[in-house]
Amino acid sequence: MPKSYVKKLTKKDGKGHNSIHHFFKKDEHSGGILPKTFPADKDSQQPTASTSSTVTGGHDFDAGTSCQNDTQTSPATICNSDGEPLQKKRKQVHCFQNGWLVDKTLCYDESVDLFWLRYDENNGMYCYLCRKHDTSQQGSYVWSRECSVRYRRNVVSSHGKSEMHLLAKERECLQKYSQFEKEIQKRKSVQHEVVIAAFKAACWIAKEDVAVHKYSSLVGLLSSIGDDPLHLHEFGHTSFTSVREMVIIIGDVLISKLIERIGSNDVALLLDEATDVTVYQQVIMYLRYLHDGDIKTQFYGVERLKESATGANLADLVQMRLQRDNINLSQIKFVGSDGAANMTGRKSGFVAQLRKQNPTVVGVWCINHRLALSIGDTVKSLQWLKRYEGTVQQINKLFEYSPEKTRKLEQISAQYESMLSEGRRKKFVRPAATRWTSHERANDAIYHGYEVLLQTLNYFTEEARIRDATAAGLYAFCRQYMFIGIVYMLQAVLPVIGRLARLWQKDILIFSEVKPSTRTAIDKLTELKQNREPLNQLRAEFEGGGRFSDGQVQFTHKNDKKLDEFYDTFITELCNNLEARLSLTPLLEAFELFDPCRFPGVDDKQYGKEDISLLCQQFGLDEEKTQDEWCNFRYKFDSPPMSSLTTAGDVCKVVLKQRNVLEDEYPNLCKLAEFALLVPMSNAWPERGASCLKRIKSRLRNRMKGDLLQAIMTIDLQHGADDDIIADAVTAWRNKPRRNVFGPVHHEDIYKTVNDLSELVNNVSDKFEKLRELICYDEQLQEAEMLNFDACGGKDEYM
């Protein structure tokens, strides 16, 4: 073939191919060029060789024999030198290799000890771990919910390193090696409810005065009777220190809520001293404040007094506590106390010390203590009453310290129905001046058990094996007419005083209630003096069929006249002492200007001006402005709703209820109405706190620290905590660093579970070893595939 022709043929055709390669091929044996064969095609524009020519290398070829036009030949048929068509090399197709299922280097995970690759003949391959734990990667569920059809070894290997596979492996490890995983997950979903229940249990422990270390015992009881649906017995903080912390947090939240409600409003401070079982002096404090127009008196705190109980030391202690709670000393307008010298002293008392920094402070002497003092003054002034009180105390001591006498008293009292009161025998009580109703209860026991008392004393005087001199002396005195006369007299008088004391011990006592109740009691005593009802009743008992008709008590007219004179003296002295002790101070009397019953009418222009002047001087208000407000306010007494009110306290309550409307026009009078309601007329709350202190810090709990003591007293005296308080306490508790809410899992159970799982895995490993031996040779792959599927199904049962 001429070179020019070959060169011409080497030019590219319109299809971009080298033409010489399109028509010819190289002979592998001789190195010459042979023509290619093409199918017969009418429409083909490709040229065909029709004559034989000499090609490079000297070989001849016949176009008719070597390139036959056969219509059956494939368009892509390539022939060899003999004219035989060559097979075209097919593209490589990737298939799943059954050996991957048991390839430790590919799909075996030592942390969970299993082969995670699975193969579904109809869908493809998937990951057992990812499908079990339903993991995904970037929103795709291939290898978990969906199967993969990319049958390449590197694809399987890359999945074993993917995030979704690592997450599934982590979940499998957690589930495999902890038999408590499901339980822990369940408890985590109710973790908040468990903590709430734990705090409620701690609050109940404190409120019911149960020792803190009994908390674990309470939880164990609930668990043993099956009444623990929230798994409280597995709460991880049941030690004394943890429960102590929870109780203290609840107490702190209660106090913080109290301070939050007070804010910047004015308050009254009530305090008293008490000595606990460890002979430490404790100062108990209450705060009286107004919240939403209502009067509230709540426990504020208890502080140990490390020095002597002088007014200066008390003032320093109280100021330190107020400063710690961000309460300004100027907010304290009244101080309620029991009237002791260290409280009310003019120069060095507690109130005097506070006035050095806050001149507006007013000291208020408890009305109940003054009532008790009025009774004490009456007893001291009358000799027969002193002897009577001493005799009653001796009677109480005689039976209190002698089991033998007490047993004999019970035997005799069982024969008399008069000693029974609602199924309980009355006990002889020792009267004391510091116990407000002790005189009434002591006299009531003598009155109803007089016959039993005489028989018991007579037994130990005459019939007992050993004669008791004390019993003999008491027997002789109790048989006197004056003694039984005083008993009947006090049985009529003391209930009047007792009702007065109980009225003044109620939660809300306003200054305006003191004077009317005092006047009512005095009028009742005056009526008893005039009708002489107790003496007439006593005389009737000496007649036929009476209590004393047997002659144990001798009645004489001389003794009766003497008792009659003593009765008049006693009633008169008691009324005088009540009027002297229970009168209000001029400052408190000034608040009576709000009393609508005292209001003379709008025509009296001078009414209330002196009271307004005194109040403004005490509390630092603008007197001229307040007088102008009063001149306009006094006309409201003739219009509803004030025209229907009867006491100054009711008027002050209405003013504060309408404070949003009246404060713009009467700001100073609204302040005075608030001060009038804040006056702490009774100091009964600190007395209750002292009783609570001695009940909580007992001989068995004498090592209780101050913070826990205050928390328990706060919960007890504020009647527990509601759900909001518990929720806030839980939030404060969670904000502190601590361990997990639930306790640690028991290691013995974990070890047992791991051993069982290890034995199971070993059995599965043995089966896989046998499977590996079956698929060692290529001719056994088909049979091994079927065995692998069976083995995978059996393995799933174990997984």
Side-chain angles (χ1 to χ4, degrees), residues 327-375:
I327 297 179
N328 198 328
L329 186 61
S330 61
Q331 295 178 240
I332 307 297
K333 297 302 180 182
F334 299 93
V335 174
S337 66
D338 56 2
N342 61 342
M343 292 289 183
T344 59
R346 293 185 178 181
K347 295 183 178 180
S348 58
F350 171 71
V351 178
Q353 296 295 327
L354 291 184
R355 282 176 180 166
K356 294 179 180 179
Q357 302 183 40
N358 182 14
T360 62
V361 173
V362 178
V364 181
W365 191 355
C366 173
I367 195 68
N368 286 293
H369 284 86
R370 290 153 64 183
L371 177 61
L373 289 174
S374 64
I375 299 175

Side-chain angles (χ1 to χ4, degrees), residues 94-101 117-119 125 151 156 789:
H94 298 278
C95 299
F96 181 79
Q97 303 298 320
N98 294 313
W100 292 350
L101 294 173
L117 183 62
R118 299 287 187 275
Y119 179 68
M125 57 183 179
Y151 303 122
V156 179
F789 284 125

Side-chain angles (χ1 to χ4, degrees), residues 507-522:
D507 291 339
I508 300 175
L509 176 64
I510 305 175
F511 73 98
S512 59
E513 300 177 5
V514 173
K515 184 177 291 188
S517 56
T518 303
R519 176 50 54 188
T520 302
I522 293 176

Side-chain angles (χ1 to χ4, degrees), residues 269-274 280-285 300-327 329 332 342-343 349-350 353-354 357 706 710:
L269 175 66
L270 297 86
L271 74 162
D272 195 8
E273 308 164 35
Y280 287 151
Q281 282 186 307
Q282 305 281 356
V283 179
I284 301 168
M285 293 174 283
Y300 175 53
V302 55
E303 296 288 340
R304 177 187 168 188
L305 191 61
K306 298 182 180 180
E307 299 180 2
S308 59
T310 62
N313 293 336
L314 288 171
D316 294 339
L317 182 67
V318 171
Q319 291 182 38
M320 180 184 65
R321 177 60 188 266
L322 294 176
Q323 185 178 5
R324 186 176 68 190
D325 294 332
N326 296 324
I327 297 179
L329 186 61
I332 307 297
N342 61 342
M343 292 289 183
F350 171 71
Q353 296 295 327
L354 291 184
Q357 302 183 40
Q710 170 161 317

Side-chain angles (χ1 to χ4, degrees), residues 439-482:
H439 287 86
E440 181 182 0
R441 291 184 288 115
N443 189 81
D444 187 65
I446 299 293
Y447 177 81
H448 289 93
Y450 183 73
E451 295 88 345
V452 175
L453 176 62
L454 288 183
Q455 287 196 25
T456 306
L457 295 176
N458 183 44
Y459 173 81
F460 288 103
T461 300
E462 299 178 358
E463 302 179 13
R465 181 173 54 88
I466 300 176
R467 187 174 184 273
D468 192 297
T470 304
L474 292 175
Y475 179 67
F477 183 78
C478 291
R479 292 181 60 192
Q480 296 185 22
Y481 182 78
M482 284 294 296

Side-chain angles (χ1 to χ4, degrees), residues 14-123:
K15 295 183 179 181
H17 303 291
N18 289 328
S19 300
I20 189 170
H21 296 290
H22 188 68
F23 291 98
F24 301 95
K25 64 179 181 180
K26 185 177 180 180
D27 187 4
E28 296 179 355
H29 300 285
S30 62
I33 298 176
L34 297 178
K36 293 182 179 180
T37 59
F38 296 93
D41 192 356
K42 296 179 180 181
D43 298 331
S44 176
Q45 300 299 326
Q46 299 174 350
T48 59
S50 58
T51 59
S52 60
S53 302
T54 304
V55 294
T56 305
H59 292 278
D60 297 332
F61 70 92
D62 188 358
T65 59
S66 57
C67 296
Q68 298 179 358
N69 297 330
D70 191 359
T71 57
Q72 300 299 324
T73 307
S74 174
T77 301
I78 300 177
C79 301
N80 57 13
S81 59
D82 298 332
E84 298 175 356
L86 297 176
Q87 294 292 334
K88 183 178 178 181
K89 186 177 181 181
R90 294 182 179 181
K91 185 177 180 180
Q92 182 179 1
V93 179
H94 298 278
C95 299
F96 181 79
Q97 303 298 320
N98 294 313
W100 292 350
L101 294 173
V102 291
D103 190 347
K104 277 194 172 185
T105 62
L106 183 64
C107 60
Y108 177 74
D109 199 321
E110 294 182 357
S111 61
V112 294
D113 195 19
L114 61 84
F115 293 87
W116 49 264
L117 183 62
R118 299 287 187 275
Y119 179 68
D120 187 348
E121 187 176 4
N122 297 324
N123 297 319

Side-chain angles (χ1 to χ4, degrees), residues 754-767:
V754 172
N755 292 333
D756 295 341
L757 291 174
S758 299
E759 183 179 355
L760 181 63
V761 171
N762 291 334
N763 295 335
V764 177
S765 300
D766 294 340
K767 292 185 179 181

